[in-house]
Amino acid sequence: MTNTLLILILLTNLRLLISSRIHACVRWVAAQGILLGLLAVVGRQADITLLGILFALFTAAIKGWVFPWLIFRAIRESEIRREMEPYVGYNLSLAIGLAALGVSFWLGRRLPLPGLPGPLFVPVAFFSMFAGLFLIVSRKQAVTQALGYLVMENGIYLFGVVAVRDEPLLVELGVLLDLLVAVFVMGITMFHIQRDVESLDANQLTQLRD
Amino acid sequence: MEMLLHALLLVPAAAGALAFVWRRPGAARFLLPAGAAAHAALTAAAWLVRPASAHPNWLALDDTGLLFLSIASALFLAAAAYAPGYLRGRDRDARTMSEPLFAGCALLFLASMTLVTLSRHFGLLWVAVEATTLASAPLIYYHRDARSLEATWKYLILCSVGIALALLGTFSLSVAGEGAGLACLSVDELVRRAAGLNPTWLQAAALLLLVGYGTKMGLAPMHTWLPDAHSEAPSMVSALLSGALLNCAFLGLLRVRQVVVAAGLQAFDAGAFLVLGVLSVGLAWVFILRQADFKRLLAYSSVEHMGLLAIGIGLGGGGPYATLFHALNHSLVKAALFLLAGNLLTAYGSKAVEDVRGALRVAPRTARFWLVGLFAITGFPPFGVFVGKFLLLRAAVQAGRIGLAGLLAVLLAMIFIAMSARMLPMVFGPAPGNRSPVRERWGAVLPSLVLLLISLALGLWLPAPLADVLARAARTLGGAP
């Protein structure tokens, strides 16, 4: 069960790297959020508490429903173009993604975790972080940067779920990263309000340079 | 004395919350300086009687914390004294941030920085650093135009990635501690049980936190947001960002370093500190060389000085002491310069170096202090920055890194030449279009004068309590006196 969920998360990451439509990307990120919530219940095995289940449900609701809804609304209101507009083409993105996957498995071997519930946890967590970071730097639009940040954050949350068993509250600090995502979504709407900036390309953010 | 710790946090937080809801005109102009003065008084009290803590694993005031708390508090007081005149003097339109909102965010920003300095737990520290980001972002978006939005977006996205990595580092730290059976990420606990920590995970944590908090500190190559944010923010905010907030991020690095030193792994990340430090100084020089915007010039100078701080930590020996002393002096002088830059911006209506000429005739007081500030920041004796840089070079020589010392000396000289070449012509010569002198209120120059005088005094004479605090703090960082 755990491994199936992890492989599904891994596949959503690869799907995000080759997806050309923003709407599809938002849906894949939402799906990943829900998978993550499930995993937080299943993956922690015996020592799961009621509070833990509530936190996991909360995480799934935020990542799988609230954010996608907010982002869809921002896209609608700001009349954002529906393409991903990558700096790096989809084929190359996929190749880089696969390379990152290799590095993630290598890192998973290098950094052994005592008492790990499964061999896939750490590599998938690292791969999510890499994929998120790559989306942030390789896609032009502000929305996609926010999506990339969500994916990266999912990876960190996943790592926390398995790695930090002494202090479950510490893992839930990750919720505070969601606060930043909320600010990003606000920022996206503000780009629209801003009369001087017509488009939402992070690419057009080039007035300030040396 | 537990009260004092809570008051340090609650006074600015309550004043900030009050500024949001108390909509009477003029309330913000009262709350901002009042909150700043109360916070400064509490900080001064902490120097007289060090507050004990009921929860030393979470909140406490140690020597390093006290130093950085004092910097933040003093700079905030200077900025709060400067703000009312600046806010009145600038051409305001409907789009700029409202005064209550500005005062509220600024005071919450102070509260969050205070929390950074008081945190004794890596989880709490992380929350505090994130809070500083959230509280300061609206201040950078003060002008509500395309440029400030761009600066704010870059600040948020880059620092958020940094903060995410720092959380990962904090998780790794917790994994490193698991072998020793400790369920606590308190700095003291980790230092006490340092020998039992898992070295691989501790190293991973140290690197992740170095990159994470280093991004917020503005170390190259993660500095790219800094010149934008520090130049687009209104000047008193720039002063706080450069003088106080960068230090708070640096304090996060010092906490990790403390654990790494206690575990006997200081040789491991010393190299990383040195590389990032030298890169920052070198890159700052390149960008100062042809800088057309005088606020960006000051921002790149901050990148340079953050690099110097990192180098001091990497050196060990006398390095940590030099670093802490230098952090203090850099903050004082850089804040003074940013406040003066605000005066120049008001007088000339431009941030371009080319547009500002003959400032001695247009704004004589500002121009004179600008000149003093230039010499202070580039390390002329007898200013404190000179002493800091001298101690740093000496530490490099004593550590046997002659090549590094030589490289640094050359880079610092080049930066002095580059900064003088940009800043001196602003002061001398005829004013463009025979611009008539502007009226300079004392409120606009006095805060800078006081900050510069403190730095001058520190270069000549180090008060015994401060020397003790610096020496004790340096010892926790693996420094020898």
Side-chain angles (χ1 to χ4, degrees):
Chain A
M1 178 69 181
T2 321
N3 281 342
T4 318
L5 286 172
L6 283 169
I7 289 169
L8 284 175
I9 289 179
L10 193 155
L11 290 176
T12 50
N13 286 332
L14 284 174
R15 191 70 189 76
L16 279 167
L17 290 177
I18 53 168
S19 187
S20 64
R21 317 286 296 178
I22 285 189
H23 277 73
C25 276
V26 179
R27 287 198 196 96
W28 285 116
V29 171
Q32 194 177 63
I34 291 168
L35 288 172
L36 206 64
L38 281 175
L39 201 62
V41 179
V42 184
R44 263 192 269 211
Q45 294 168 337
D47 54 349
I48 188 88
T49 57
L50 183 64
L51 193 67
I53 293 176
L54 284 179
F55 266 128
L57 285 178
F58 181 68
T59 305
I62 294 265
K63 291 179 196 289
W65 184 66
V66 177
F67 278 137
W69 179 70
L70 283 174
I71 293 173
F72 273 133
R73 208 185 59 167
I75 292 176
R76 206 167 47 239
E77 284 177 1
S78 321
E79 292 148 10
I80 295 173
R81 287 187 304 282
R82 307 297 161 94
E83 306 293 322
M84 287 294 274
E85 299 180 54
Y87 289 111
V88 182
Y90 300 114
N91 288 333
L92 187 56
S93 293
L94 184 62
I96 292 173
L98 290 175
L101 188 59
V103 172
S104 307
F105 273 98
W106 177 77
L107 270 178
R109 289 248 302 272
R110 279 293 304 275
L111 294 170
L113 270 174
L116 201 64
L120 273 177
F121 262 101
V122 177
V124 172
F126 279 118
F127 181 51
S128 296
M129 292 173 216
F130 286 135
L133 260 178
F134 181 71
L135 283 177
I136 292 175
V137 297
S138 70
R139 302 291 185 263
K140 281 180 193 170
Q141 297 204 36
V143 188
T144 35
Q145 292 188 337
L147 286 174
Y149 193 78
L150 258 171
V151 172
M152 178 182 163
E153 193 206 316
N154 287 349
I156 292 176
Y157 183 81
L158 186 57
F159 179 80
V161 166
V162 280
V164 186
R165 271 162 301 160
D166 291 0
E167 271 188 288
L169 200 62
L170 187 68
V171 183
E172 304 309 335
L173 281 184
V175 170
L176 291 177
L177 288 176
D178 288 329
L179 212 59
L180 291 169
V181 177
V183 175
F184 292 153
V185 178
M186 258 166 61
I188 292 165
T189 321
M190 266 180 215
F191 277 120
H192 179 59
I193 296 165
Q194 194 58 250
R195 277 165 298 173
D196 312 281
V197 183
E198 254 113 47
S199 138
L200 291 168
D201 281 11
N203 190 29
Q204 288 212 336
L205 297 173
T206 46
Q207 289 191 42
L208 304 174
R209 52 165 51 183
D210 289 293
Chain B
M1 289 314 290
E2 172 79 12
M3 291 274 292
L4 186 54
L5 282 185
H6 294 170
L8 274 166
L9 286 170
L10 289 179
V11 165
L18 194 59
F20 285 127
V21 292
W22 191 15
R23 289 286 171 170
R24 240 193 85 206
R29 267 178 221 172
F30 160 74
L31 279 172
L32 187 61
H39 190 269
L42 290 167
T43 306
W47 276 91
L48 296 176
V49 187
R50 187 72 63 87
S53 171
H55 307 284
N57 282 336
W58 292 91
L59 275 186
L61 191 57
D62 70 333
D63 294 297
T64 325
L66 180 61
L67 179 70
F68 286 91
L69 173 69
S70 309
I71 294 174
S73 190
L75 259 50
F76 195 85
L77 185 61
Y82 177 91
Y86 182 86
L87 295 179
R88 226 176 297 134
R90 293 284 297 158
D91 49 334
R92 298 180 53 81
D93 53 39
R95 287 210 297 184
T96 48
M97 199 174 185
S98 75
E99 268 187 46
L101 198 59
F102 175 79
C105 285
L107 285 161
L108 290 184
F109 180 37
L110 176 64
S112 59
M113 287 196 292
T114 308
L115 185 60
V116 173
T117 62
L118 296 182
S119 296
R120 299 298 294 159
H121 185 279
F122 279 99
L124 187 62
L125 175 74
W126 181 84
V127 173
V129 172
E130 184 185 329
T132 62
T133 311
L134 287 173
S136 55
L139 297 172
I140 298 172
Y141 189 43
Y142 178 83
H143 290 296
R144 305 264 163 101
D145 54 9
R147 290 174 64 92
S148 59
L149 181 61
E150 178 183 340
T152 312
W153 180 263
K154 279 186 191 166
Y155 173 67
L156 273 173
I157 210 96
L158 273 160
C159 288
S160 300
V161 169
I163 282 172
L165 291 177
L167 181 65
L168 188 62
T170 308
F171 286 169
S172 306
L173 205 54
S174 146
V175 177
E178 225 165 9
L182 86 176
C184 187
L185 273 175
S186 115
V187 179
D188 295 326
E189 280 288 307
L190 285 170
V191 166
R192 205 171 301 138
R193 307 196 190 173
L197 299 178
N198 178 329
T200 314
W201 281 100
L202 180 57
Q203 286 170 349
L207 280 185
L208 285 166
L209 288 162
L210 178 60
V211 174
Y213 290 144
T215 304
K216 196 139 164 63
M217 183 187 164
L219 288 176
M222 298 89 80
H223 71 286
T224 47
W225 60 273
L226 190 149
D228 296 341
H230 290 205
S231 65
E232 290 307 314
S235 292
M236 58 271 168
V237 176
S238 313
L240 290 175
L241 291 176
S242 257
L245 182 58
L246 298 184
N247 279 335
C248 285
F250 181 50
L251 181 60
L253 290 185
L254 294 182
R255 299 293 189 214
V256 191
R257 181 75 180 157
Q258 217 173 318
V259 178
V260 171
V261 167
L265 291 170
Q266 58 264 54
F268 160 72
D269 63 350
F273 271 99
L274 289 178
V275 167
L276 291 183
V278 172
L279 198 61
S280 302
V281 178
L283 222 101
W285 169 60
V286 172
F287 281 95
I288 285 173
L289 210 53
R290 298 223 152 269
Q291 192 48 253
D293 175 324
F294 57 84
K295 282 187 80 179
R296 291 180 83 83
L297 185 80
L298 296 179
Y300 276 111
S301 157
S302 294
V303 175
E304 171 214 342
H305 287 272
M306 290 305 120
L308 291 176
L309 300 187
I311 291 172
I313 292 303
L315 282 174
Y321 182 89
T323 284
L324 293 170
F325 185 71
H326 189 68
L328 172 60
N329 282 290
H330 164 254
S331 298
L332 293 168
V333 177
K334 185 54 62 61
L337 277 168
F338 264 118
L339 296 182
L340 293 170
N343 295 349
L344 292 174
L345 180 57
T346 311
Y348 286 86
S350 165
K351 280 188 290 190
V353 172
E354 297 295 323
D355 294 341
V356 180
R357 288 290 181 261
L360 265 178
R361 284 163 215 217
V362 177
R365 285 176 195 150
T366 299
R368 274 187 217 120
F369 298 147
W370 183 253
L371 213 53
V372 174
L374 165 65
F375 289 118
I377 200 75
T378 47
F380 260 67
F383 286 96
V385 174
F386 163 75
V387 181
K389 286 181 175 171
F390 173 76
L391 288 174
L392 205 64
L393 289 178
R394 198 181 65 174
V397 172
Q398 280 172 347
R401 294 183 180 269
I402 312 290
L404 178 66
L407 176 67
L408 269 186
V410 170
L411 276 175
L412 291 179
M414 299 306 271
I415 287 174
F416 162 67
I417 295 170
M419 282 189 81
S420 309
R422 307 310 290 171
M423 287 168 74
L424 286 178
M426 295 169 66
V427 175
F428 300 109
N434 286 327
R435 194 178 279 265
S436 53
V438 295
R439 212 178 121 255
E440 292 179 282
R441 277 167 305 91
W442 275 108
V445 286
L446 209 56
S448 299
L449 174 64
V450 173
L451 293 173
L452 287 172
L453 278 177
I454 299 175
S455 175
L456 178 65
L458 285 175
L460 297 168
W461 168 68
L462 195 59
L466 179 59
D468 289 345
V469 163
L470 288 173
R472 281 197 300 263
R475 218 167 297 140
T476 62
L477 298 165

